[in-house]
Amino acid sequence: MFIFHELVLRFSDINRGIGKYISATIENGECLINTTTGHIKVALSMLEKQYNNPKLISQEELQQLASNFEIG
């Protein structure tokens, strides 16, 4: 579960409006991470990178995902 918390923290560095981690569900090859202010979809490959070697996730990838954050 720490993987989700870590990703949300990294996204929050880019977009302060993302809020704090609440929960996550995985289906159809994607992970939906719910936060206090909305949700963000993350590919399972991104979770793997975060777990195995977070340095493999580029700042550009983080920015792209953070920009896909949906409020609500």
Side-chain angles (χ1 to χ4, degrees), residues 28-43:
N28 299 326
E30 274 191 323
C31 177
L32 181 66
I33 299 175
N34 297 299
T35 70
T36 52
T37 59
H39 59 274
I40 190 166
K41 290 182 182 176
V42 178

Side-chain angles (χ1 to χ4, degrees), residues 4 21 23-27 30-34 40 42 44 47:
F4 307 122
Y21 171 79
S23 66
T25 56
I26 296 175
E27 60 182 60
E30 274 191 323
C31 177
L32 181 66
I33 299 175
N34 297 299
I40 190 166
V42 178
L44 295 182
L47 295 179

Side-chain angles (χ1 to χ4, degrees), residues 2-59:
F2 68 93
I3 299 168
F4 307 122
H5 284 281
E6 289 173 351
L7 273 175
V8 170
L9 287 173
R10 293 179 78 183
F11 294 144
S12 292
D13 286 342
I14 297 165
N15 178 352
R16 291 281 176 208
I18 286 179
K20 296 182 181 190
Y21 171 79
I22 295 176
S23 66
T25 56
I26 296 175
E27 60 182 60
N28 299 326
E30 274 191 323
C31 177
L32 181 66
I33 299 175
N34 297 299
T35 70
T36 52
T37 59
H39 59 274
I40 190 166
K41 290 182 182 176
V42 178
L44 295 182
S45 59
M46 180 73 65
L47 295 179
E48 262 185 68
K49 286 182 189 178
Q50 180 64 34
Y51 180 75
N52 292 316
N53 189 353
K55 293 178 183 176
L56 292 178
I57 302 173
S58 70
Q59 189 65 23

